């Protein structure tokens, strides 16, 4: 089968949500170390609501599904991750307008649009210890590869997430801590890793041709 | 006569409400709304609350939005995009002092750009001495 269907996108969301719920305390602990301590709670509430919304709605296009995912996060997540994940997914949704299926090039373009949205909304650059530090290498990797490579994709996302540990935060609440932010993983990068590793797993498990 | 509307965004519902209370004790004829906290009153910001607050105080004179910590500005930007209203400006200024100045300037009937300028000047002022 070619391309990601709506069913695959829904599975992607469900898998990401499962990882977030499982690691809710871990995400909160990470955020308590260098942020405002609400990342686990906010993400688990927002993604739970998104699963409820999407599993109970019929979608004609992938763009509509992604849009509802984005809008739910925008309205249900109270912290910074709401507008950030919401904007990224909204840009992804907009890039899928008038497209029949999510093939490799539209997936790459969609995630790249998401990254551009993150940069625009959060005013962060690479090396600032934010989600951008995961999204950016992931986009570069997608663009370099001729087809989807699940193992490599997961590895890139994981490495990028781990690299945030030694960074000093320039953006986000952690930036107030300056040097003290070094030695802790960026919570948004960890949840971004869950998002991308879930995508790779769905593509692998469902045998999606990309 | 319509005045520039003012919205206070804070991660805390109490901060936003408290600031509105503080300012309206003195300035009574300016439309001011507080948009603090999440939907259920927790710590954070709510896109919907901000959107509703902007719409409530909106007039031809426009609206000035003030916020507290970094991430609330993202929801402020989104709310402005979602409402599609023109003449809504986000002020880059300390919330309490900037909010007070915004209300005073708006109360004098000044246009949006002048109110914004006065509010952002607050950033440069020392609180003690000159």
């Amino acid at each position: 089968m070619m391309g990601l269907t709506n069913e695959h996108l829904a599975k992607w969301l469900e898998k990401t949500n499962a990882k977030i719920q499982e690691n809710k305390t871990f995400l909160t602990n990470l955020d308590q170390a260098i942020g405002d301590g609400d990342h686990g709670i906010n993400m688990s509430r927002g993604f739970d609501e998104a699963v409820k919304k999407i599993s109970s709605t019929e979608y004609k296009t992938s763009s509509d599904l992604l849009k509802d995912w984005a809008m739910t996060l925008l309205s249900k997540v109270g912290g910074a991750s709401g507008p950030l994940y919401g904007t990224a997914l909204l840009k992804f949704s907009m890039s899928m307008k008038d497209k029949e299926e999510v093939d490799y090039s539209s997936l790459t373009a969609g995630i790249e649009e998401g990254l551009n949205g993150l940069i625009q909304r959060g005013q962060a650059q690479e090396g600032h210890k934010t989600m951008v530090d995961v999204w950016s290498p992931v986009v570069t990797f997608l663009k370099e590869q001729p087809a989807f490579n699940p193992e490599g994709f997961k590895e890139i996302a994981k490495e990028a997430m781990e690299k945030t540990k030694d960074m000093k935060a320039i953006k986000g609440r952690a930036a107030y801590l300056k040097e003290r932010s070094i030695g802790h993983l960026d919570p948004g990068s960890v949840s971004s890793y869950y998002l991308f590793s879930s995508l790779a797993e769905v593509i692998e498990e469902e045998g999606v041709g990309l | 006569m319509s005045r520039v509307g003012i919205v206070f965004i804070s991660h805390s519902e109490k901060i936003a409400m408290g600031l509105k209370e503080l300012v309206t004790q003195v300035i009574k004829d300016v439309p001011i709304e507080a948009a603090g906290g999440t939907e259920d009153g927790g710590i954070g910001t709510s896109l919907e609350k901000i959107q509703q607050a902007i719409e409530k105080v909106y007039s031809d004179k426009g609206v000035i939005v003030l916020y507290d910590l970094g991430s609330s500005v993202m929801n402020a930007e989104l709310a402005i995009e979602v409402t599609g209203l023109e003449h809504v400006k986000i002020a880059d200024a300390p919330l309490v002092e900037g909010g007070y100045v915004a209300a005073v300037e708006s109360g004098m009937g000044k246009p949006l750009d002048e109110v914004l300028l006065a509010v952002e000047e607050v950033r440069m002022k020392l609180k003690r001495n000159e």
Side-chain angles (χ1 to χ4, degrees), chain A residues 28-173:
Chain A
T28 293
N29 290 345
L30 288 176
D31 202 27
Q32 271 166 351
I34 56 168
D36 50 5
D38 62 3
H39 195 56
I41 297 150
N42 284 338
M43 289 292 282
S44 79
R45 179 178 53 220
F47 273 73
D48 238 355
E49 291 290 336
V51 167
K52 271 185 218 158
K53 173 75 190 165
I54 277 148
S55 61
S56 62
T57 316
E58 287 277 330
Y59 294 99
K60 279 198 178 130
T61 66
S62 51
S63 179
D64 290 343
L65 186 152
L66 289 165
K67 190 179 174 195
D68 260 9
W69 183 352
M71 294 312 288
T72 310
L73 297 184
L74 286 177
S75 65
K76 297 294 174 192
V77 181
S81 41
L84 289 169
Y85 277 102
T87 299
L89 286 160
L90 205 56
K91 298 280 180 194
F92 190 173
S93 154
M94 281 155 69
S95 80
M96 286 307 301
K97 273 240 152 78
D98 311 318
K99 282 188 187 157
E100 291 281 322
E101 55 165 31
V102 190
D103 59 14
Y104 188 66
S105 70
S106 51
L107 178 68
T108 303
I111 295 177
E112 186 172 25
E113 278 300 303
L115 168 64
N116 293 338
L118 282 182
I119 291 169
Q120 179 216 339
R121 184 72 65 211
Q123 303 281 305
Q125 291 165 19
E126 252 185 288
H128 284 182
K129 199 180 180 100
T130 71
M131 297 161 66
V132 171
D133 290 310
V134 169
W135 284 65
S136 187
V138 156
V139 168
T140 306
F141 180 77
L142 285 171
K143 285 165 108 175
E144 281 166 2
Q145 301 285 312
F148 196 81
N149 165 0
E151 280 310 309
F153 184 80
K154 265 179 92 160
E155 199 47 45
I156 283 287
K158 187 160 190 262
E159 271 174 24
M161 175 267 281
E162 284 166 349
K163 270 191 196 158
T164 65
K165 191 166 183 175
D166 297 328
M167 291 179 185
K168 185 175 98 176
I170 308 288
K171 274 279 164 185
R173 195 68 74 90

Side-chain angles (χ1 to χ4, degrees), chain B residues 33 53 80 92 112-113 123:
Chain B
E33 275 299 314
I80 294 170
D92 188 344
L112 182 59
D113 286 347
R123 214 173 28 190

Side-chain angles (χ1 to χ4, degrees), chain B residues 57-79:
Chain B
V57 299
Y58 191 83
S59 72
D60 293 345
K61 293 280 275 189
V63 174
I64 190 160
V65 176
L66 289 107
Y67 65 97
D68 60 355
L69 296 168
S71 67
S72 51
V73 74
M74 296 191 283
N75 265 335
E77 287 170 356
L78 272 161

